[in-house]
Amino acid sequence: MLHYLARRLAASLLILLGVSIVTFGLTFMIPADPVAMIAGRNSTPQMRDNIRIQLGLDKPIPEQYARYLGRLVTGNLGMSYARKSEVGPLVVSRLPPTLLLMLGAIIAELLIGIPAGIYAATRRGRFADKAAMTLSFVSVSTPQFVLGLTLLYLFAYLWNWFPLGGYGKLSNLILPALTLGLAGGGWYSRMMRSSMIEVLRNDYIRTARAKGMSEWRVTMKHGFRNAILPIVAMIGLDVGIFMSGVVVVENVFGWPGIGQLMWQAIQSLDIPVIMGVTIVAACFIVLGNLIADLVSPLIDPRIRLR
């Protein structure tokens, strides 16, 4: 176990290093000058040059990255260009709302996807199976901003069941979590259906039925436990998906998380904030995948970590 963790941590550090290199390089390929945005329209060339020197943007890109990496090793994510404050505390202050939204979305997609997948698998080829898979396809294909605006219009504006936006109450969480959860639930239902159909073909399922067990007990006791393994792996991947998806959803619902912070940083070309949010999101992606790998043996003892 310790050897496995050491190898995974080493690989994770290399992944994070690669993410920092790619993101840092892409920020300098943007056809816009952050100094011009900071200085304003009425700034003189000398003012822009002074700001560029103060921010260290006059140095060669490799030297800028080396300085950034040196600060990153010590936990310093730099100073925001637009907000004139440290990026680390700024990102940390936005993490709780995003993590809450992520938890709500995972719960929503599990509650939607797993029952739908089991229901479709046990009625394979019937109308119920085709209807469930059609709905899952629609939910996966619909853009998140379209789905979010539709839910806002129906449940918040038209029927007034939930608030139009905001943060702090359970009612504020339901619509944005459902927006993320519907797309994930569509994937989960399709994955659960395929996995359950494969499991229900095994010999031990036939043996359980031959012993006179009810179909419900066969499906849930013997089928569900083995069919759920691909879903556990997908939850780890969902951390990364949600970290990218919350940029749209948080802005639609006015949710004060790192997605909204990232969008504001992109609009102002605040490179340290963009880099900070990306690095933090990458850390959660790596951590989510590691947790999924560690949890899998607890569900199925036949799985061994190597």
Side-chain angles (χ1 to χ4, degrees), residues 168-271:
K169 298 179 180 179
L170 180 61
S171 58
N172 299 122
L173 174 64
I174 292 176
L175 288 183
L178 189 59
T179 301
L180 289 170
L182 281 172
W187 284 113
Y188 276 24
S189 64
R190 300 178 77 86
M191 178 68 74
M192 192 69 196
R193 176 184 179 273
S194 300
S195 181
M196 182 65 76
I197 288 174
E198 186 67 28
V199 168
L200 292 178
R201 291 173 177 171
N202 290 327
D203 292 337
Y204 60 86
I205 297 294
R206 298 190 187 97
T207 303
R209 286 171 175 161
K211 290 181 178 180
M213 287 187 181
S214 64
E215 191 64 25
W216 171 259
R217 188 176 179 186
V218 170
T219 301
M220 299 309 297
K221 182 178 180 180
H222 297 282
F224 175 73
R225 182 176 180 180
N226 294 284
I228 195 67
L229 288 175
I231 304 299
V232 175
M234 285 184 66
I235 293 175
L237 297 176
D238 276 346
V239 175
I241 295 172
F242 287 149
M243 280 294 182
S244 61
V246 293
V247 176
V248 176
V249 175
E250 286 185 357
N251 279 279
V252 169
F253 290 94
W255 193 265
I258 64 172
Q260 189 182 74
L261 178 64
M262 172 68 95
W263 177 247
Q264 294 169 352
I266 291 173
Q267 289 180 313
S268 60
L269 283 181
D270 199 341
I271 293 175

Side-chain angles (χ1 to χ4, degrees), residues 282-297:
C283 290
F284 275 95
I285 294 171
V286 170
L287 181 61
N289 284 287
L290 179 59
I291 292 175
D293 289 343
L294 295 177
V295 169
S296 295

